[in-house]
Amino acid sequence: MIAVIAMRDFRGFIRDGRLPWLGGLALLLLIVSIAVGWRLQSDTAAERAATEEKGYATWVGQGPKNPHSAAHLGMHVFKPEPPLALFDPGLEPFAGQTVWLEAHRQNDFGFRPAQDATGLRRFGDLSAAYVLQLLAPLILVLIGFDALAGEREQGTLRQLASLGVAPSRLLWGKALAIGAAAAAILAPAVVLSLIALYQAAAVGSLADNLARLGWIAIGYGLYLGTFLFVTLAVSAAAPRARGALVALLAIWTVATIVVPRAASEAAHAALPTPTRIDFMNALGVDLRAAQNKALEDNFHVKSASQLPMEEAPRALRVDDHAGYVVFDEHYNGLWDLFERQRHLQEWLGVASPLVALRGLSTSMAGVDLAHQRSFATAAESHRRLIQDTMSENRIAAGGSEAYNYQASPELWAKVPPFRYEGPSSAEALASSWPNLVTLAAGFALSLLAAVVAARHLRPF
């Protein structure tokens, strides 16, 4: 009986045009977003690899030079774009793509695509994640709002009851029909995503990325399942299909637009981010204080100008190591602030499954705050490797020559090319399991609401 009900309703979705028109539009947007993301990612990855390779070639090809000057040349390194960023770009357009590793300074990320965007970006990028997060629930609402309320209005609910069809069977038949309609829309996009992922992922990381995609699929399944059963619960409780539609549109608006935005604004208001000027001023003050103290502790002078020339290389190393502590304190404090904002936003947005879904989706796609922080830490470690390698050579071989010392080109090759491996899927899941629990709880509550509403279903 459940299959018969599902088949009848599925055919009805096709006959009244809702599935062909709404589903066709969603499918078109999904395919276009994945295809465009796939092409853009392929081109960008090739450009980044070529630029980074050329930059390293410039580094090792410097010729005889003072190591201190070489450290100031530094190199640019690029954050590898995760393969699943074609599905969910997350922070990628906003966090920057490259950083310059130079002596004595920890630089910010540059080349943010969002800087070149128009005001339309505030409505979100066209991505598969955007379509599934905002448009797919709306399509479920438009397909299923009259699933039970419409049967009551047309009088068929009374006929079904007279035939002995249990409300629970009717509920599961309706759920199966709407789920099948959603699957018909999503299946081609899933196949295309798998093909794109296979092409984009490196051989060694394919299994890890497939695991990430699997958890993403579970998260979106719970999210869309929540909207499906909320739709059926409201349709069962509403006396009229029109009333059910109005109520469901209000729920969709609050859950996908109002609550996520309000939670974000409230989190930033409660935990404000310092301006760039304030941050850099505070960093500069602490850097000068730490470096002056290091000079006094190690050389018993108040200024580097009071040191003999032969002590300049060692003084610079002491200066750099004092700066490392200050950089770590300030930048880790900023990263920790971002993390607290994120956690507060997730708690404030617990009423919306979209907040939890975004946290899970960006984490498993490798485009969240934790992955950006991981890359920033790796890049800074490489910068310090360059700085320390140059300083140690200058101290050991430079001697009294100080700034006149010229290192041989073999020194530059001692600094290896920058290679970055981000957190594994297991690490990403470990940090996002609360979001998964929230999604599962939301799905369970919506299912319970639909079952209870079906038990109290009246044919008139």
Side-chain angles (χ1 to χ4, degrees):
M1 180 59 69
I2 293 176
V4 172
I5 295 172
M7 183 61 67
R8 187 202 66 172
D9 279 22
F10 188 81
R11 290 172 179 168
F13 297 152
I14 297 175
R15 280 197 305 269
D16 63 22
R18 278 183 288 181
L19 182 57
W21 284 103
L22 295 175
L25 175 62
L27 180 59
L28 177 63
L29 291 174
L30 281 171
I31 292 176
V32 168
S33 62
I34 293 172
V36 170
W38 183 6
R39 177 61 183 272
L40 181 61
Q41 187 180 74
S42 300
D43 294 343
T44 303
E47 291 174 358
R48 290 182 183 182
T51 303
E52 193 165 317
E53 183 179 349
K54 185 176 180 179
Y56 185 72
T58 301
W59 167 262
V60 297
Q62 291 181 85
K65 183 185 288 188
N66 186 278
H68 184 242
S69 299
H72 273 287
L73 172 67
M75 63 179 70
H76 283 85
V77 297
F78 291 82
K79 181 179 182 294
E81 188 172 21
L84 286 170
L86 63 87
F87 172 82
D88 187 347
L91 294 179
E92 290 288 295
F94 306 94
Q97 302 174 351
T98 182
V99 62
W100 179 24
L101 310 181
E102 67 165 330
H104 317 311
R105 294 184 59 185
Q106 181 172 345
N107 289 312
D108 294 332
F109 289 88
F111 298 100
R112 298 174 175 87
Q115 291 177 323
D116 302 321
T118 66
L120 292 175
R121 182 180 283 273
R122 71 184 61 184
F123 297 103
D125 290 314
L126 177 60
S127 65
Y130 180 85
V131 173
L132 293 179
Q133 290 170 9
L134 266 72
L135 299 184
L138 179 60
I139 290 173
L140 289 177
V141 166
L142 295 176
I143 288 179
F145 74 93
D146 61 346
L148 296 169
E151 298 276 10
R152 183 187 291 110
E153 280 188 304
Q154 295 170 9
T156 53
L157 193 59
R158 182 179 299 178
Q159 296 176 7
L160 291 171
S162 66
L163 293 174
V165 178
S168 60
R169 290 180 178 272
L170 185 61
L171 172 69
W172 289 111
K174 300 288 185 178
L176 183 58
I178 299 173
I185 299 170
L186 299 178
V190 171
V191 172
L192 183 59
S193 296
L194 287 171
I195 296 173
L197 179 63
Y198 180 79
Q199 293 292 328
V203 175
S205 65
L206 181 59
D208 185 80
N209 280 286
L210 285 174
R212 288 174 177 271
L213 184 60
W215 286 110
I216 287 175
I218 291 173
Y220 279 89
L222 292 172
Y223 175 71
L224 296 178
T226 299
F227 272 94
L228 188 156
F229 284 109
V230 166
T231 298
L232 290 174
V234 172
S235 184
R240 302 288 181 185
R242 182 178 299 177
L245 178 60
V246 172
L248 287 168
L249 288 177
I251 292 172
W252 174 81
T253 302
V254 171
T256 61
I257 298 175
V258 177
V259 172
R261 183 65 179 177
S264 176
E265 294 295 335
H268 285 83
L271 299 169
T273 304
T275 65
R276 177 179 172 81
I277 293 177
D278 291 340
F279 178 81
M280 297 307 296
N281 286 341
L283 177 63
V285 169
D286 288 350
L287 271 176
R288 286 189 293 272
Q291 290 164 350
N292 290 337
K293 185 177 185 303
L295 279 175
E296 191 168 354
D297 291 345
N298 287 272
F299 301 100
H300 308 292
V301 298
K302 294 185 179 297
S303 172
S305 61
Q306 299 173 338
L307 291 170
M309 188 64 69
E310 59 269 16
E311 289 287 5
R314 196 161 70 90
L316 274 176
R317 184 176 66 175
V318 169
D319 187 89
D320 284 327
H321 280 261
Y324 294 164
V325 177
V326 178
F327 282 127
D328 287 343
E329 178 183 351
H330 281 261
Y331 278 97
N332 285 339
L334 188 61
W335 286 114
D336 291 342
L337 173 62
F338 292 154
E339 285 288 351
R340 291 197 300 274
Q341 289 175 344
R342 181 181 66 84
H343 286 306
L344 179 58
Q345 180 179 347
E346 289 174 354
W347 278 108
L348 293 175
V350 70
S352 168
L354 179 56
V355 176
L357 177 66
R358 282 177 174 167
L360 176 67
S361 181
T362 55
S363 177
M364 299 313 299
V367 291
D368 67 338
L369 185 66
H371 286 78
Q372 189 71 21
R373 183 174 187 173
S374 171
F375 174 75
T377 301
E380 175 61 10
S381 296
H382 200 71
R383 184 189 76 83
R384 295 178 185 183
L385 172 64
I386 297 172
Q387 183 66 54
D388 291 343
T389 302
M390 299 300 104
S391 294
E392 289 166 7
N393 177 267
R394 192 167 171 230
I395 292 170
S400 60
E401 293 185 65
Y403 289 101
N404 294 322
Y405 167 63
Q406 302 284 301
S408 65
E410 286 76 15
L411 174 61
W412 324 136
K414 290 184 178 181
V415 176
F418 178 73
R419 295 289 183 266
Y420 171 68
E421 290 187 9
S424 66
S425 58
E427 293 172 307
L429 182 62
S431 66
S432 58
W433 67 264
N435 293 316
L436 190 61
V437 171
T438 301
L439 288 169
F443 175 78
L445 289 175
S446 67
L447 176 59
L448 178 63
V451 170
V452 171
R455 287 179 178 177
H456 294 85
L457 188 63
R458 295 292 181 265
F460 49 83

